């Protein structure tokens, strides 16, 4: 089983880049299942139904979200779509679902979305407690488990990786938009990387226009962020899982 995880898609230009690359990449790398984080796809904040449908059309199986889940009101029209998940540890009663189970090549794949609690400015439950509850719910019901941990702090992400080692198949981080160099297979067989990066404007500050971003840091004034323009890059990761042992066997980082 070969699974492609695509880093935070930033803006419509980031989505255009993904649409240019993914069809050929899927064929060349024999990708079976695709997960993409789409919470920044609509103007850098949120997602619309139109963009969501474009992701599905280009072959994405599950779209995950994060702290900008509610950035566009349009999401309330499709929040219950089976291919869309938002952080599972949002407070109880929040619309949408935190995980989904899809079938691929005769295998049942659970994809879980979690959000961190360090410097995220989002009211959420403890992700370590929530993932335990979810794993109990899906025990013996799935063959593979993927976790997108949308978090700011590298320490929180790394701790989650070790916490879930041997209990899930893949843990990858999103949110910081910078691909880390620590892709690895942990001791008990779980594939892990702290952040898979972003798919968006290359010359940017995590997808935003450089001068506006610098001005915010220079003056401390709330300068309005602007999406950067120009050439885009696609960041992501291909995870190869052994169907016999259910352990990760290979990780390939993408920077295209």
């Amino acid at each position: 089983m070969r699974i492609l995880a695509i880093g935070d898609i930033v803006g419509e230009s980031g989505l255009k880049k993904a649409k240019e690359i993914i069809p050929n990449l899927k064929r060349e790398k024999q990708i079976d299942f695709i997960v993409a984080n789409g919470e920044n796809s609509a103007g850098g904040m949120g997602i619309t139904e139109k963009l969501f449908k474009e992701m599905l059309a280009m072959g994405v199986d599950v779209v995950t979200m994060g702290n900008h889940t509610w950035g566009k009101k349009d999401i309330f029209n499709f929040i219950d779509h089976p291919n869309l998940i938002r952080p599972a540890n949002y407070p109880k009663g929040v619309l949408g679902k935190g995980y989904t189970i899809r079938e691929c090549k005769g295998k049942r794949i659970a994809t879980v979305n979690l959000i961190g609690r360090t410097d995220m400015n989002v009211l959420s439950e403890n992700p370590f407690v929530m993932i335990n509850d979810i794993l109990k719910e899906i025990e013996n019901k799935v063959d593979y488990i993927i976790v997108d941990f949308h978090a700011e702090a590298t320490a929180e992400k790394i701790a989650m990786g070790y916490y879930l080692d041997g209990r899930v198949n893949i843990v990858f981080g999103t949110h910081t938009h910078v691909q880390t160099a620590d892709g690895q297979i942990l001791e008990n067989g779980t594939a892990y990387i702290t952040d898979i990066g972003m798919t968006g404007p290359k010359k940017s500050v995590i997808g935003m226009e450089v001068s506006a971003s610098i001005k915010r840091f220079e003056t401390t004034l709330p300068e309005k962020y602007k999406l950067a323009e120009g050439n885009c890059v696609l960041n992501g990761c291909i995870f190869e899982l052994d169907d016999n042992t259910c352990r990760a066997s290979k990780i390939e980082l993408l920077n295209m």
Side-chain angles (χ1 to χ4, degrees):
M1 182 74 70
R2 293 173 67 81
I3 295 171
L4 168 64
I6 302 168
D8 301 51
I9 296 174
V10 180
E12 288 76 357
S13 60
L15 181 58
K16 181 180 178 182
K17 180 70 172 182
K19 289 163 69 175
E20 291 172 355
I21 290 178
I22 287 175
N24 288 334
L25 183 66
K26 184 176 181 179
R27 183 174 58 254
E28 292 171 5
K29 295 291 187 178
Q30 298 180 312
I31 302 299
D32 300 303
F33 194 83
I34 301 176
V35 180
N37 187 284
E39 70 136 20
N40 296 120
S41 57
M45 185 178 294
I47 189 171
T48 64
E49 188 167 16
K50 177 180 179 293
L51 298 180
F52 173 66
K53 287 181 176 178
E54 288 183 25
M55 291 181 202
L56 298 185
M58 71 183 184
V60 175
D61 295 284
V62 178
V63 176
T64 59
M65 298 297 286
N67 54 304
H68 294 309
T69 297
W70 317 115
K72 297 290 182 286
K73 292 182 179 180
D74 192 32
I75 195 171
F76 294 105
N77 295 323
F78 61 101
I79 187 64
D80 291 319
H81 194 285
N83 298 77
L84 177 71
I85 54 176
R86 47 79 176 156
N89 55 318
Y90 273 171
K92 290 182 180 180
V94 171
L95 294 174
K97 57 191 177 303
Y99 72 88
T100 187
I101 299 174
R102 315 302 298 161
E103 207 165 297
C104 178
K105 292 176 62 177
K107 301 289 186 180
R108 292 178 65 77
I109 303 174
T111 307
V112 184
N113 196 184
L114 296 171
I115 194 166
R117 295 202 298 177
T118 303
D119 296 331
M120 292 298 288
N121 299 314
V122 173
L123 180 63
S124 62
E125 306 291 340
N126 189 322
F128 291 81
V129 173
M130 181 58 68
I131 190 63
N132 279 334
D133 293 341
I134 292 173
L135 293 181
K136 289 177 183 176
E137 286 181 24
I138 65 177
E139 188 175 11
N140 301 320
K141 295 180 181 178
V142 299
D143 300 289
Y144 294 121
I145 303 171
I146 303 167
V147 176
D148 172 358
F149 191 25
H150 198 80
E152 177 75 21
T154 53
E156 191 176 16
K157 293 179 181 179
I158 293 168
M160 183 64 78
Y162 284 118
Y163 188 65
L164 294 177
D165 184 22
R167 303 169 66 195
V168 307
N169 302 93
I170 297 168
V171 178
F172 64 84
T174 56
H175 179 64
T176 56
H177 294 200
V178 178
Q179 189 179 81
T180 54
D182 61 341
Q184 61 187 296
I185 298 173
L186 300 176
E187 185 178 3
N188 295 310
T190 294
Y192 172 81
I193 182 169
T194 298
D195 201 287
I196 57 175
M198 74 166 187
T199 297
K202 185 174 183 179
K203 184 181 179 181
S204 69
V205 177
I206 62 171
M208 300 297 115
E209 202 268 329
V210 172
S211 61
S213 300
I214 290 175
K215 190 172 182 180
R216 287 176 67 101
F217 288 109
E218 184 180 35
T219 66
T220 71
L221 296 174
E223 181 76 13
K224 184 178 180 180
Y225 273 132
K226 302 174 185 175
L227 275 174
E229 299 179 354
N231 294 333
C232 290
V233 62
L234 181 144
N235 287 161
C237 204
I238 297 173
F239 302 92
E240 189 168 309
L241 305 176
D242 189 308
D243 288 334
N244 295 316
T245 64
C246 290
R247 291 170 65 102
S249 56
K250 184 180 178 182
I251 298 176
E252 179 181 352
L253 273 64
L254 300 175
N255 190 341
M256 306 175 73

